[in-house]
Amino acid sequence: MGKQDDIFIEGNLSGLPFSFNEEVTEVFEDMIDRSVPGYKTSVNLVDYYSRQYSRDNSYVYDLGCSLGASTKVLLDSVNDKNIKVISIDNSAAMIEKCNKLFSSYVDEGRLELKLEDINISEITNASVVVINFVLQFLDRDKRTLLIEKIFKGLNPGGGLLISEKVHFQSDRESKNISLLHHLFKEKNGYTKMEIAAKRDSLEGVMVTETEEVHFQRMNRVGFSRGEKLMSNLNFATYLFIK
Ligand code: GEK
């Protein structure tokens, strides 16, 4: 585990929009663990389902890999198959750290790390694609294009594992759950001030959608079936099969 996240403590407020820069990279593991309910479960689900859906002689992708929590479980879960893991992030700091953490896998040819915008990445011959808490950071008008590209790149029977923060159709439900989420963060040691400052800096950077919007998009794009695997407050993991 890296350094403790104190980016938003009182007197340390940059007022800048949130970005995945060096400062965030240094504290990222602590930040995501203390901020996202069910985060570890989402990674365990990647482990479980990638074992079921990955196929010999294909690629598996981790889009928006950050420090490679899913990449690590993908590498373990496809260990006995002839599969290359391709992990992509557009944060130079994240990919630089991944290059250090995973150098042996890269040297063995089992992993390719790419510093790239996933909007322009090529996805091909994929048996599994993982996009864990990333779509929410893309421009809304680019999301369907990315999901269409993933669908095209997946082999028939392949699986897309997606985790997202969501909001609800009812404003009241969104407000109540958001309150519980803030309590979750307080329990994990964040102050009210830190929570408010992070929320402000994420304004317009992370834009959530409802579960219904996600299902409609996947349906329109052509996924034959989809299911919710887990939800924890306003965070959820889904599996869609081509
Ligand atoms: C995990 N999946 O630990 N292209 C590439 N990467 C991007 C883009 C983009 N257009 N936009 C954002 N990112 C990880 C956690 S974090 C989620 C993912 C969070 C990257 C961004 O640089 C960051 O590393 C990641 O998506 C989002 O399972 O912090 O809430």
Side-chain angles (χ1 to χ4, degrees), residues 20 28 32 39 62 64-66 69-70 89-91 94 116-119 132-134 136-138:
F20 291 96
F28 181 75
I32 197 152
Y39 172 69
D62 183 8
C65 60
S66 297
S70 297
D89 204 289
N90 68 349
S91 156
M94 293 287 187
E116 191 172 84
D117 180 351
I118 54 175
N119 289 304
N132 225 17
F133 303 110
V134 179
Q136 61 205 27
F137 290 105
L138 302 192

Side-chain angles (χ1 to χ4, degrees), residues 206-220:
M206 181 178 70
V207 180
T208 60
E209 296 173 303
T210 61
E211 184 169 293
E212 290 76 10
V213 165
H214 286 294
F215 271 99
Q216 279 159 15
R217 177 184 290 121
M218 298 299 180
N219 211 4
R220 263 201 323 273

Side-chain angles (χ1 to χ4, degrees), residues 154-222:
L154 270 170
N155 296 329
L160 167 61
L161 281 155
I162 176 165
S163 298
E164 282 281 287
K165 183 176 184 184
V166 295
H167 64 264
F168 300 89
Q169 282 178 330
S170 139
D171 285 347
R172 211 181 56 135
E173 191 177 3
S174 287
K175 231 168 144 185
N176 287 342
I177 304 273
S178 166
L179 215 72
L180 290 174
H181 178 221
H182 289 180
L183 286 175
F184 166 89
K185 292 180 80 170
E186 276 185 57
K187 277 221 173 330
N188 285 338
Y190 287 113
T191 64
K192 284 190 167 52
M193 178 94 73
E194 283 177 285
I195 294 167
K198 170 106 182 266
R199 188 198 53 215
D200 290 350
S201 96
L202 278 170
E203 186 80 39
V205 175
M206 181 178 70
V207 180
T208 60
E209 296 173 303
T210 61
E211 184 169 293
E212 290 76 10
V213 165
H214 286 294
F215 271 99
Q216 279 159 15
R217 177 184 290 121
M218 298 299 180
N219 211 4
R220 263 201 323 273
V221 166

Side-chain angles (χ1 to χ4, degrees), residues 119-148:
N119 289 304
I120 61 146
S121 297
E122 190 189 343
I123 294 173
T124 174
N125 185 23
S127 53
V128 173
V129 176
V130 176
I131 180 161
N132 225 17
F133 303 110
V134 179
L135 203 67
Q136 61 205 27
F137 290 105
L138 302 192
D139 289 346
R140 287 190 72 178
D141 58 358
K142 294 195 175 141
R143 294 179 188 183
T144 300
L145 287 173
L146 176 66
I147 298 297
E148 281 170 353

